């Protein structure tokens, strides 16, 4: 460092260096977890599978989807293929059934013509034939004639295939688009619209989660489409067009992730029920079940192998078209977050883990609870965005990174804290009050016996710096520590000089005891405690003068003392013990210290202590108070100073006014308090009692009034 520049670049303390090193260590841990989340987790099959499964569960089934009752599925199932449950007479009565039984599957296409006649006669709106009519077959003429009768009400299925190449394309590995054969198209009317029946699985697993409503051959080859290239539409897209519904959302050439509808409301009827009179009457209710419906005809038999794995299970192809159709009708689409969002979420998760572990680096349990709560909150946010904003984030990988980074940082913090605590304990155990050290060295056995627990009379002292909390929050931390250490150093030296024991520090507060370790009698202990309090006030006045010259904030300190029995012993756990005092005497001393602020005095002592020091110090009555936690009042005094001369006339007049007040002579007391205030206008005790006198003159207290003031706060 250049000479003379020490103020510009101050040398950090050991604690500051340790804090900075811990900060860097935790950041490096979190950065390592970010790298794991970016590059390792996506390559793990179990993580990838769990991520997709969690996303599917979060999206779930769209139970609120409308229009599900407008779709009917006529299934070519095993019973329709075998017809073995029907009597021969039933089959012979229906030409369609007879043809189905005679030829077997694939059926004569006149069967589909008969089915269409039956369905449209029942009042159906639209029929989707999820069957590939790629080659001429028997019955094409009948089917073409029927299609000609119902223009714009039927959609045929086309197919992308790698099995057969398009004649116009030279390479066999390029997908070919197979349209329905010309022989099924109407001779005179417009051609029946056709839509491809294909669905493509997710690139990450063999599950269908998206529907590609429009595409081109080039796009299937992952190439940029030619503007003049033919755009092919899906089966469900053609249906939406014929229904006259909006297709704006569907005109994109990219796959759309959609919510699967609750298809429990979609009726499913076997294909043969169209031609069996009893089933037509009972199941289809004489065709009423088809009125104004969108009918999908397609295979559901396992032998036809038209099944797809989806987030809602393995379903037949026609039912998958029903889901895609309902998604388009209800605009039930959502967007999945991409790789950039995943990378950002992982980085953010590790950053949050870093902040939590740094904030609670000394409280591992709280850090762990915060991490779990944050993970739960994130999953809740993912769920909310998926259902309210149709945006699906990654729920698993960021959560794994959050918990992994948090657990690693917490474990590292715990290990570092254990190491530092072990080092600090060996140092801090040397810092005890001087008389405690002396007693340990000189009377080891007596002291150890006392640590087991003894009850004895002692004087307990409490002090507190007024407004220190707000001061410490607004001032520079190093200045706060420096000023507080200077104050505590002066106060502790006074306590030691008067043979007191510093029991503990409570931030800016001090608890000291006389008579717990070494006692020269109750009166001596009490006298030394009051002498120490007076000297501490004197030392504080000098400190305030010095701090004023430095431009620092001055301190106002309240002190409370009480004498009584308390228990002295070694309190704590197996890991850490400390000699201290407990009991009602300690509590009352603490309450009395709190009264100094209310009454505007710097020192408050109780009557038991006042009886021991009244011959040595000049005292002034404060009040008769029932403090919080006590059922009986206690007399409170303040110390005016050493009893070197007779009390002043002012003090005698004040004490006489107090006696009149407690004797219910409120007018005489009020007159005396007014005279006292005339001579000392800023005296708060006189002002308090004068206000009470005026209140009681206007409205006298009850007969059982004892002059006791009830304290409502500690």
């Amino acid at each position: 460092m250049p000479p003379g520049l020490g103020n510009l670049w101050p040398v950090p303390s050991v604690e500051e260096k340790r804090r900075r090193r811990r900060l860097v260590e935790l950041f490096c841990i979190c950065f390592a977890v970010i790298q794991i989340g970016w590059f390792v987790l996506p390559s793990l099959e179990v993580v990838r599978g769990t991520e997709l499964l969690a996303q599917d569960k979060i999206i779930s089934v769209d139970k609120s989807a409308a229009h599900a009752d407008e779709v009917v599925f006529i299934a070519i199932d095993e019973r329709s293929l075998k017809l073995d449950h029907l009597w021969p007479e039933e089959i012979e009565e229906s030409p369609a059934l007879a043809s189905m039984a005679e030829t077997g599957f694939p059926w004569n296409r006149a069967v589909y013509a008969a089915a269409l006649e039956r369905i449209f006669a029942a009042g159906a709106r639209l029929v989707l034939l999820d069957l590939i009519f790629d080659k001429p077959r028997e019955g094409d003429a009948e089917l073409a004639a029927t299609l000609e009768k119902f223009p714009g009400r039927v959609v045929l299925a086309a197919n992308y295939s790698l099995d057969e190449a398009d004649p116009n394309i030279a390479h066999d590995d390029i997908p070919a688009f197979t349209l329905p054969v010309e022989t099924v198209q109407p001779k005179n009317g417009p051609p029946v619209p056709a839509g491809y029946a294909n669905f493509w699985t997710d690139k990450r697993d063999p599950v269908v989660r998206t529907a590609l409503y429009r595409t081109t051959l080039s796009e299937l080859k992952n190439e940029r489409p030619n503007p003049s290239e033919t755009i092919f539409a899906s089966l469900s897209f053609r249906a939406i067009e014929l229904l006259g519904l909006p297709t704006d959302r569907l005109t994109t050439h990219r796959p759309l992730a959609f919510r699967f509808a609750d298809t429990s409301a979609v009726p499913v009827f076997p294909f043969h029920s169209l031609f069996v009179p009893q089933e037509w009457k009972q199941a289809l209710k004489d065709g009423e079940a088809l009125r104004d419906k969108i009918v999908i005809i397609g295979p559901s038999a396992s032998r036809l192998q038209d099944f797809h794995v989806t987030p809602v299970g393995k379903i037949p192809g026609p039912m998958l078209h029903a889901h895609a159709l309902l998604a388009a009708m209800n605009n039930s689409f959502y967007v999945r977050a991409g790789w950039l969002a995943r990378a950002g979420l992982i980085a953010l998760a590790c950053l949050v883990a870093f902040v939590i572990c740094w904030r609670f680096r000394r409280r591992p349990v709280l850090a762990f609870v915060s991490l779990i709560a944050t993970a739960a909150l994130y999953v809740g946010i993912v769920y909310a965005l998926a259902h309210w904003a149709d945006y699906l984030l990654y729920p698993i990988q960021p959560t794994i990174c959050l918990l992994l980074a948090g657990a690693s940082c917490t474990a590292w913090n715990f290990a570092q804290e254990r190491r530092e605590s072990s080092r600090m304990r060996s140092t801090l155990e040397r810092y005890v009050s001087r008389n405690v050290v002396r007693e340990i060295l000189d009377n080891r056995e007596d002291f150890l016996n006392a640590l087991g627990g003894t009850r004895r009379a002692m004087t307990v002292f409490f002090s507190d710096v007024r407004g220190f909390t707000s001061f410490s929050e607004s001032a520079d931390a190093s200045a706060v520590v420096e000023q507080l250490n200077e104050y505590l150093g002066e106060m502790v030296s006074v306590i030691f000089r008067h043979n007191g024991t510093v029991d503990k520090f409570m931030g800016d507060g001090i608890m000291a005891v006389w008579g717990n370790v070494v006692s020269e009698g109750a009166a001596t202990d009490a006298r030394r405690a009051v002498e120490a309090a007076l000297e501490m006030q004197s030392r504080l006045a000098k400190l305030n003068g010095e701090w004023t010259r430095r431009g620092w904030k001055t301190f106002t300190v309240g002190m409370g003392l009480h004498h009584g029995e308390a228990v002295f012993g070694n309190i704590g756990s197996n890991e850490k013990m400390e000699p201290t005092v407990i009991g009602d005497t300690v509590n009352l001393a603490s309450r009395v210290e709190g009264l100094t602020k209310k009454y505007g005095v710097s020192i408050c002592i109780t009557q038991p202590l006042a009886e021991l020091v009244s011959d040595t110090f000049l005292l002034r009555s404060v009040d008769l108070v029932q403090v919080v936690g006590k059922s009986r009042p206690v007399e409170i005094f303040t110390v005016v100073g050493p009893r070197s001369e007779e009390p002043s006339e002012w003090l005698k007049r004040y004490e006489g006014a107090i006696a009149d007040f407690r004797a219910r002579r409120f007018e005489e007391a009020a007159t005396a308090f007014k005279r006292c205030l005339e001579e000392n206008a800023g005296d708060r005790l006189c002002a308090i009692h004068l206000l009470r006198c005026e209140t009681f003159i206007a409205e006298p207290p009850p007969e059982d009034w004892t002059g006791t003031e009830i304290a409502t706060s500690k």
Side-chain angles (χ1 to χ4, degrees):
M1 179 185 301
L5 297 181
N7 291 333
L8 294 179
W9 290 284
V11 178
S13 63
V14 175
E15 181 62 27
E16 179 66 18
K17 290 180 179 179
R18 186 179 298 117
R19 188 185 69 84
R20 293 178 182 177
R21 184 172 64 250
R22 178 80 62 84
L23 194 68
V24 173
E25 291 168 349
L26 295 183
F27 180 80
C28 290
I29 292 173
C30 291
F31 186 74
V33 175
I34 290 175
Q35 304 306 308
I36 293 173
W38 282 351
F39 303 111
V40 178
L41 291 184
S43 63
L44 299 178
E45 183 66 30
V46 63
V47 174
R48 186 167 61 251
T50 305
E51 183 78 73
L52 294 172
L53 179 61
Q55 288 183 324
D56 292 340
K57 292 296 183 182
I58 288 174
I59 285 297
S60 69
V61 174
D62 187 6
K63 293 185 178 181
S64 63
H67 307 293
D69 58 346
E70 299 178 19
V71 179
V72 173
F73 176 28
I74 303 297
I76 303 175
D77 58 356
E78 286 293 336
R79 297 178 69 193
S80 298
L81 295 176
K82 293 180 179 179
L83 299 178
D84 54 359
H85 66 290
L86 299 177
W87 294 100
E89 294 81 2
E90 291 179 300
I91 296 176
E92 292 176 0
E93 289 177 358
S94 171
L97 291 176
S99 176
M100 292 164 59
E102 179 183 353
T103 63
F105 196 84
W107 299 319
N108 186 309
R109 288 175 182 164
V111 171
Y112 302 113
L116 291 175
E117 293 280 1
R118 192 78 163 162
I119 291 171
F120 284 122
R125 295 170 59 193
L126 184 70
V127 175
L128 279 67
L129 273 172
D130 185 17
L131 298 162
I132 306 300
F133 301 141
D134 55 342
K135 296 178 181 179
R137 292 187 63 86
E138 189 176 355
D140 284 355
E142 290 85 346
L143 179 57
T146 301
L147 293 175
E148 188 173 338
K149 291 172 58 178
F150 305 103
R153 299 180 66 183
V154 179
V155 182
L156 298 178
N159 185 50
Y160 276 111
S161 175
L162 289 174
D163 297 333
E164 299 182 27
D166 189 293
N168 299 320
I169 302 177
H171 304 289
D172 291 344
D173 60 346
I174 297 177
F177 190 70
T178 304
L179 288 168
V181 67
E182 288 291 333
T183 55
V184 301
Q185 291 288 357
K187 294 288 188 285
N188 301 317
V192 178
Y196 57 83
N198 303 74
F199 284 90
W200 286 269
T201 59
D202 199 309
K203 294 180 180 179
R204 297 165 292 184
D205 62 0
V207 179
V208 176
R209 299 184 179 88
T210 61
L212 186 59
Y213 289 91
R214 300 195 339 149
T215 190
T216 64
L217 292 174
S218 297
E219 287 175 315
L220 289 180
K221 296 185 294 180
N222 295 319
E223 298 176 357
R224 185 181 297 275
N226 190 321
S228 61
E229 190 173 5
T230 302
I231 299 175
F232 299 102
S234 69
L235 193 67
S236 52
F237 185 90
R238 294 301 186 199
I240 293 295
E241 283 185 321
L242 293 179
L243 291 171
L245 300 176
T247 60
D248 297 344
R249 182 74 183 270
L250 311 179
T251 55
T252 178
H253 287 215
R254 62 180 178 81
L256 295 177
F258 64 92
R259 286 187 175 86
F260 283 74
D262 182 8
T263 53
S264 60
V266 176
V268 180
F269 304 106
F271 185 85
H272 70 270
S273 64
L274 294 172
F275 308 108
V276 179
Q278 185 177 2
E279 295 189 27
W280 173 263
K281 181 176 181 179
Q282 293 180 355
L284 285 94
K285 301 177 182 179
D286 287 328
E288 282 297 320
L290 304 178
R291 186 176 298 277
D292 295 325
K293 305 296 184 181
I294 303 168
V295 179
I296 302 177
I297 300 176
S300 68
S302 57
R303 75 168 84 169
L304 301 181
Q305 299 181 351
D306 187 18
F307 283 85
H308 303 267
V309 179
T310 71
V312 296
K314 199 172 185 179
I315 62 176
M319 191 58 76
L320 188 55
H321 288 296
H323 283 288
L325 178 61
L326 290 172
M329 295 172 70
N330 294 302
N331 196 26
S332 186
F333 301 103
Y334 64 94
V335 177
R336 286 177 175 264
W339 67 270
L340 188 60
R342 183 186 70 86
L345 287 171
I346 289 173
L348 179 61
C350 293
L351 177 62
V352 171
F354 168 78
V355 172
I356 290 175
C357 293
W358 177 253
R359 175 66 178 81
F360 302 117
R361 56 189 179 278
R362 292 184 174 86
R363 306 174 71 179
V365 175
L366 188 56
F368 176 77
V369 172
S370 299
L371 288 169
I372 297 298
T374 303
L377 176 62
Y378 171 71
V379 174
I381 292 174
V382 172
Y383 184 88
L385 285 176
H387 287 267
W388 295 339
D390 295 327
Y391 187 75
L392 181 60
L393 296 173
Y394 289 81
I396 298 300
Q397 295 183 43
T399 303
I400 291 176
C401 292
L402 172 72
L403 297 179
L404 179 60
S408 302
C409 291
T410 301
W412 183 259
N413 274 332
F414 182 75
Q416 295 301 308
E417 286 297 324
R418 289 292 300 270
R419 186 179 67 182
E420 292 180 11
S421 297
S422 178
R423 181 176 63 250
M424 292 297 294
R425 185 179 295 113
S426 62
T427 302
L428 293 176
E429 286 176 350
R430 299 197 301 267
Y431 292 91
V432 294
S433 300
R434 296 174 184 175
N435 53 348
V436 175
V437 176
R438 188 183 309 115
E439 186 67 13
I440 293 173
L441 296 176
D442 296 343
N443 303 290
R444 180 180 178 84
E445 293 300 325
D446 292 342
F447 180 76
L448 291 177
N449 291 334
L451 290 180
T454 58
R455 186 182 298 275
R456 59 182 65 173
M458 58 189 74
T459 300
V460 181
F461 165 94
F462 277 88
S463 70
D464 180 69
V465 178
R466 302 301 180 208
F468 185 82
T469 301
S470 59
F471 162 67
S472 63
E473 292 176 349
S474 59
D476 178 74
S478 59
V480 171
V481 172
E482 181 180 356
Q483 187 172 1
L484 182 59
N485 285 339
E486 187 172 351
Y487 160 76
L488 293 176
E490 290 288 344
M491 300 301 106
V492 169
S493 66
V494 173
I495 294 172
F496 286 168
R497 191 158 49 248
H498 291 274
N499 293 333
T501 300
V502 176
D503 189 278
K504 61 175 65 70
F505 295 111
M506 298 156 291
D508 57 285
I510 303 173
M511 175 183 171
V513 186
W514 280 260
N516 58 335
V517 179
V518 180
S519 176
E520 298 179 20
T524 301
D525 293 337
R527 175 180 56 81
R528 286 176 173 171
V530 175
E531 286 176 345
L534 290 174
E535 185 176 346
M536 290 165 75
Q537 289 291 340
S538 176
R539 289 296 306 152
L540 178 63
K542 294 180 180 179
L543 283 175
N544 281 335
E546 176 63 25
W547 292 338
T548 300
R549 286 191 293 272
R550 299 182 197 174
W552 289 4
K553 179 181 175 62
T554 59
F555 284 177
T556 300
V557 178
M559 301 177 182
L561 297 92
H562 175 57
H563 184 85
E565 281 194 348
V567 175
F568 172 71
N570 209 20
I571 308 298
S573 65
N574 293 332
E575 288 78 17
K576 179 61 179 178
M577 308 284 287
E578 64 175 348
T580 188
V581 293
I582 57 175
D584 186 67
T585 296
V586 178
N587 295 334
L588 184 54
S590 176
R591 303 289 189 272
V592 170
E593 181 275 322
L595 295 175
T596 59
K597 184 176 182 180
K598 175 180 179 180
Y599 292 105
V601 295
S602 57
I603 301 174
C604 276
I605 67 174
T606 60
Q607 184 176 0
L609 181 59
E611 292 174 354
L612 294 172
V613 300
S614 58
D615 294 335
T616 308
F617 299 96
L618 194 60
L619 306 179
R620 178 186 177 189
S621 298
V622 174
D623 207 351
L624 187 63
V625 183
Q626 181 178 326
V627 299
V628 175
K630 299 287 288 184
S631 59
R632 301 177 62 183
V634 61
E635 179 81 16
I636 304 297
F637 299 84
T638 186
V639 181
V640 178
R643 185 178 285 278
S644 57
E645 55 186 19
E646 287 295 317
S648 64
E649 291 298 320
W650 185 92
L651 183 58
K652 291 179 180 179
R653 186 179 304 111
Y654 171 86
E655 293 295 339
I658 291 291
D660 289 337
F661 173 78
R662 295 177 182 174
R664 303 175 66 95
R665 296 188 293 270
F666 300 122
E667 294 182 355
E668 292 86 343
T671 301
F673 284 130
K674 287 179 181 179
R675 288 192 59 189
C676 289
L677 280 172
E678 290 174 357
E679 298 178 21
N680 187 1
D683 190 82
R684 188 169 181 179
L685 285 175
C686 289
I688 291 174
H689 284 90
L690 177 59
L691 179 60
R692 293 178 184 174
C693 288
E694 292 173 348
T695 301
F696 290 150
I697 290 172
E699 184 177 351
E703 292 297 325
D704 58 350
W705 179 77
T706 61
T708 301
E709 177 72 9
I710 306 297
T712 58
S713 60
K714 297 182 179 180

